[in-house]
Amino acid sequence: MQRGTFQLMKSVNKSIILNKVRTSEPISRAQIAKETKLTPPTVSSIVKELLEEGIVRESSLGESKGGRKPTMLHIDPNAFYIVGVDAGPESVTSILTDLAGNIVHRADSQLYTPITNEQFMGILKDAIRETILAPSREKRDIIGIGVAMHGVVNIDSGTSLIAPNLKLKNIPIKAELEREFSLKVKVENDARAMALGESWFGGHASSSMVAVNIGRGVGAGLVINGKLYHGDRDIAGEIGHMTIDLNGPVCTCGNTGCLQAFVAGPAITARSQKEGVTGEEIAKLAQGGDKEAKDLLKETGKLIGIGLVNLIHLVNPEKIVLGGGVMKSEKFMLPTVKETISDRGLTTDAKETNVSVTKLGDHATLLGAVALLLVELFDPVG
Ligand SMILES: [Zn+2]
């Protein structure tokens, strides 16, 4: 779908109806009118458009209280495709999905350093081109491209301001991709995108949710009433740089004792007594029963728990979802995470905050990139 088409698709009432069908399907026209307070003629005429566009389809499974069964409406997940990209720091992955997040095609590329802005954009464009031209793709329109970019992102201009691991600055991702593909492009920080993906696809219909990504770095995204919270100057969610020990190790940001300096992948291997061991090796050793590795991960769980207690006392989210490479060892960490929250939480409710590990696995960030576009399409005020 070209950018102009996207705008045509989007009117406030249309999004209200689309979102109602998405969250309440199957649903009848009468029920939509009742629940959205739009007039029945308005609902009928917009539903007619949505049927013509193919995004909504009809079935007649509705229950009737006498009289004929009402025609029920559903979202047709195959109506459109979306491209979602997880960009760096070590690789670029691009997926093509339907509206329900089912992956139709996937393209992976490795990044290398040193790398220039132009080389980075070249790899990004190649991965996206491959997904768009996927042989399995049927002749259906693509709504747009969502990019989950590591580092600091200006979401309005879609620019990567700082990509520290690649030592790049000011990459005009949105402008270049829109020019190249003539599609709508949304760019967001990867941890925030992951949070949105969790909220959209992870079955977390909650009023407030924090997703914390613990991998090579530590980042978080806050979703409040279905919306990402960015803060005044776009740094909300930088939980990785919350100080948990004044005398702790030096962090990549230059401060000492940041949460990230204790619990990110490289920080865990640095705390190990085994020289030159990788994070994967520590996970394997723990699986095999190695006491030092198990203790190291348990202690990591406790440190994560301390960061989460601070987060709970500040934000008081309904749910916390943990993801990222480090959480693959959840078996050894989650018990001490929960124990620490239970020990230190201020109230019973704080102690019992719902903490879980993402069910979307490695796809959480990619699906978050996809969700960046879905929010635009379905959300009346998105
Ligand atoms: Zn830091």
Side-chain angles (χ1 to χ4, degrees):
M1 190 190 309
Q2 306 296 301
R3 257 175 291 167
T5 322
F6 187 95
Q7 288 314 320
L8 277 180
M9 290 274 310
K10 223 179 131 50
S11 75
V12 173
N13 286 347
K14 211 165 175 179
S15 291
I16 289 172
I17 291 174
L18 256 185
N19 209 37
K20 182 45 82 183
V21 177
R22 181 183 79 85
T23 52
S24 308
E25 66 180 341
I27 187 169
S28 67
R29 287 170 177 79
Q31 200 64 26
I32 293 174
K34 198 173 150 196
E35 292 182 21
T36 60
K37 303 201 166 55
L38 294 169
T39 66
T42 303
V43 171
S44 283
S45 91
I46 292 177
V47 165
K48 185 166 171 280
E49 276 178 46
L50 292 170
L51 286 167
E52 282 164 6
E53 283 157 1
I55 192 165
V56 164
R57 60 188 162 79
E58 290 180 317
S59 72
S60 53
L61 300 167
E63 294 287 319
S64 74
K65 300 182 184 80
R68 74 183 171 96
K69 286 185 173 178
T71 305
M72 304 303 277
L73 301 167
H74 307 254
I75 297 291
D76 184 348
N78 298 313
F80 296 108
Y81 289 119
I82 304 127
V83 176
V85 185
D86 183 357
E90 286 165 349
S91 57
V92 169
T93 302
S94 176
I95 56 171
L96 186 70
T97 76
D98 62 18
L99 291 174
N102 297 308
I103 299 174
V104 181
H105 191 79
R106 174 181 174 128
D108 291 280
S109 310
Q110 286 303 307
L111 292 171
Y112 48 83
T113 50
I115 190 168
T116 65
N117 283 7
E118 291 69 30
Q119 287 166 333
F120 174 79
M121 283 309 300
I123 290 171
L124 207 57
K125 286 177 192 170
D126 285 348
I128 293 169
R129 197 173 298 113
E130 191 194 321
T131 21
I132 288 179
L133 300 176
S136 49
R137 181 190 158 198
E138 292 168 44
K139 290 264 169 260
R140 294 197 190 100
D141 283 336
I142 290 174
I143 288 174
I145 302 167
V147 179
M149 176 70 189
H150 70 288
V152 184
V153 172
N154 179 317
I155 59 159
D156 295 325
S157 64
T159 307
S160 161
L161 299 179
I162 306 166
N165 292 291
L166 299 175
K167 300 192 168 62
L168 296 181
K169 278 182 183 170
N170 302 320
I171 319 168
I173 297 177
K174 179 181 159 84
E176 285 219 17
L177 293 184
E178 286 189 341
R179 192 163 51 232
E180 180 82 19
F181 297 106
S182 298
L183 287 165
K184 185 175 182 69
V185 176
K186 299 277 289 179
V187 185
E188 182 56 272
N189 162 269
D190 57 354
R192 291 213 188 112
M194 181 192 130
L196 194 66
E198 275 299 329
S199 150
W200 197 269
F201 293 114
H204 299 284
S206 51
S207 63
S208 54
M209 190 204 75
V210 182
V212 184
N213 189 63
I214 309 175
R216 291 197 59 79
V218 177
L222 283 66
V223 180
I224 296 170
N225 296 327
K227 286 270 184 311
L228 276 173
Y229 179 74
H230 290 90
D232 183 43
R233 296 290 154 110
D234 250 5
I235 59 163
E238 287 292 351
I239 184 184
H241 302 286
M242 166 192 289
T243 306
I244 62 165
D245 179 0
L246 272 181
N247 303 310
V250 178
C251 180
T252 52
C253 72
N255 293 333
T256 53
C258 295
L259 179 64
Q260 176 169 311
F262 286 98
V263 307
I268 299 172
T269 55
R271 290 210 326 280
S272 170
Q273 275 143 33
K274 296 184 176 68
E275 285 285 321
V277 71
T278 66
E280 286 77 18
E281 284 161 358
I282 290 174
K284 269 202 193 118
L285 283 167
Q287 284 292 351
D290 182 275
K291 184 163 186 316
E292 196 244 323
K294 275 164 65 179
D295 287 347
L296 182 63
L297 292 175
K298 278 188 199 164
E299 187 192 35
T300 304
K302 182 174 179 185
L303 294 162
I304 292 170
I306 288 174
L308 297 188
V309 169
N310 292 335
L311 182 71
I312 289 165
H313 291 160
L314 186 67
V315 181
N316 185 21
E318 191 181 329
K319 283 175 179 165
I320 298 176
V321 182
L322 306 174
V326 168
M327 290 318 297
K328 286 184 180 162
S329 296
E330 62 169 294
K331 184 175 143 194
F332 303 103
M333 294 188 292
L334 204 54
T336 44
V337 169
K338 291 188 173 175
E339 228 171 80
T340 309
I341 295 171
S342 172
D343 285 348
R344 293 175 170 247
L346 214 48
T347 61
T348 310
D349 286 337
K351 289 175 192 292
E352 290 171 358
T353 304
N354 183 334
V355 179
S356 61
V357 174
T358 177
K359 307 256 181 327
L360 301 177
D362 291 339
H363 293 148
T365 306
L366 280 166
L367 289 174
V370 168
L372 293 172
L373 269 298
L374 293 176
V375 168
E376 287 276 310
L377 182 64
F378 285 97
D379 198 312
V381 286

